[in-house]
């Protein structure tokens, strides 16, 4: 969903064409930054559903201080807030029919403090959860790739590389498609086009993995 100024919003559709706004994520007064005199901002990052649960991730900021927050719901209308490890910057979630998974990033503890919100560069992170609330996390390998657009198929997990930033400048996605059996070790399958943000695994009778933005 997209937010109105400082709050995220949730939309539902039965046909993918007509959308109804059904909820805001949570009153902002429950946020860690609720008492800050600075401008408040909330942006939805990812959403997934599985095993009777919706899971959404949002970034909340007060000026240059930001944190990632999780919301869960059984009906996509009433949402419960969950606080995450403050070192986690981003989580893109997906349910593969058996378990929850995510790819994202965490702060680089050796990075340069560019501002109060981020370290100099993000390091790749991934993990799983049985209930969609408690997460087991680990570094992505090899070389800590920062991935997004998580999806899953019969033969494992798929993700794409994401936009990177840092003190030496930023760069768009290189269009890399990666595969993993366990969300920890990733293999580069190929390159599609710059700027992609996600991947979907379609039934065999339609197509193999398709990427686009």
């Amino acid at each position: 969903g997209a937010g109105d100024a400082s709050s995220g919003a949730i939309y539902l559709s039965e046909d993918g064409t007509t959308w109804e706004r059904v909820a805001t994520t949570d009153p902002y007064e429950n946020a860690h930054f609720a008492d800050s005199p600075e401008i408040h901002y909330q942006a939805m990052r990812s959403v997934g559903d599985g095993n009777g649960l919706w899971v959404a991730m949002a970034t909340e900021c007060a000026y240059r201080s930001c944190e990632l927050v999780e919301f869960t719901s059984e009906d996509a209308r009433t949402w419960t807030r969950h606080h995450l490890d403050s070192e986690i910057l981003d989580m893109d979630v997906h349910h593969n029919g058996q378990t929850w998974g995510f790819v994202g990033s965490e702060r680089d503890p050796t990075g340069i403090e560019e501002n109060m919100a981020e370290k100099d560069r993000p390091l790749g992170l991934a993990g799983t959860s049985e209930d969609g609330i408690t997460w087991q996390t680990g570094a992505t390998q090899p070389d800590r790739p920062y991935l997004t657009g998580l999806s899953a198929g019969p033969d494992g997990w798929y993700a794409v590389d994401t936009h990177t930033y840092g003190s030496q400048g930023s760069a768009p996605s290189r269009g890399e498609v990666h595969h993993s059996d366990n969300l920890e070790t990733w293999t580069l399958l190929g390159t599609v086009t710059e700027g992609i943000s996600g991947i979907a695994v379609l039934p065999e009778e339609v197509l193999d993995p398709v990427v686009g933005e």
Side-chain angles (χ1 to χ4, degrees):
D4 293 338
S6 65
S7 63
I10 306 299
Y11 293 80
L12 285 179
S13 175
E14 297 293 332
D15 58 10
T17 301
T18 303
W19 292 83
E20 174 193 5
R21 178 171 176 167
V22 295
T24 55
T25 49
D26 181 71
Y28 202 86
E29 57 263 26
N30 292 329
H32 278 164
F33 300 124
D35 296 330
S36 171
E38 305 291 349
I39 297 174
H40 294 168
Y41 173 80
Q42 184 188 77
M44 304 306 297
R45 304 299 295 266
S46 70
V47 63
D49 74 292
N51 198 28
L53 186 72
W54 290 87
V55 173
M57 299 292 173
T59 297
E60 293 183 338
C61 300
Y63 189 47
R64 291 184 174 181
S65 296
C66 297
E67 68 175 5
L68 189 69
V69 180
E70 178 179 7
F71 297 94
T72 58
S73 175
E74 295 182 356
D75 60 6
R77 296 174 183 272
T78 302
W79 293 80
T80 301
R81 172 188 295 269
H82 306 276
H83 292 288
L84 299 165
D85 186 328
S86 62
E87 294 303 301
I88 299 177
L89 296 173
D90 190 23
M91 292 175 64
D92 190 283
V93 297
H94 186 78
H95 195 276
N96 70 353
Q98 296 179 324
T99 190
W100 286 96
F102 85 89
V103 291
S105 66
E106 65 180 348
R107 303 179 198 275
D108 180 358
T110 65
I112 303 169
E113 284 282 4
E114 294 246 288
N115 54 52
M116 295 173 63
E118 313 286 358
K119 291 285 188 179
D120 184 52
R121 64 186 179 93
L123 297 176
L125 192 72
T128 59
S129 174
E130 294 299 322
D131 59 7
I133 299 173
T134 303
W135 297 88
Q136 291 73 49
T137 67
T140 52
Q141 301 296 341
D143 301 324
R144 304 299 300 271
Y146 178 13
L147 304 172
T148 190
L150 185 65
S151 188
D155 57 347
W157 302 87
Y158 294 87
V160 299
D161 70 311
T162 190
H163 180 95
T164 58
Y165 57 90
S167 62
Q168 302 304 312
S170 61
S173 160
R174 296 180 296 275
E176 297 176 352
V177 179
H178 298 256
H179 172 266
S180 176
D181 294 324
N182 56 15
L183 285 169
E184 179 180 350
T185 302
W186 291 84
T187 300
L188 175 62
L189 297 182
T191 301
V192 184
T193 184
E194 289 186 0
I196 60 174
S197 60
I199 183 169
V201 181
L202 303 180
E204 290 185 4
E205 61 270 21
V206 180
L207 280 175
D208 278 334
V210 173
V211 184
E213 180 178 36

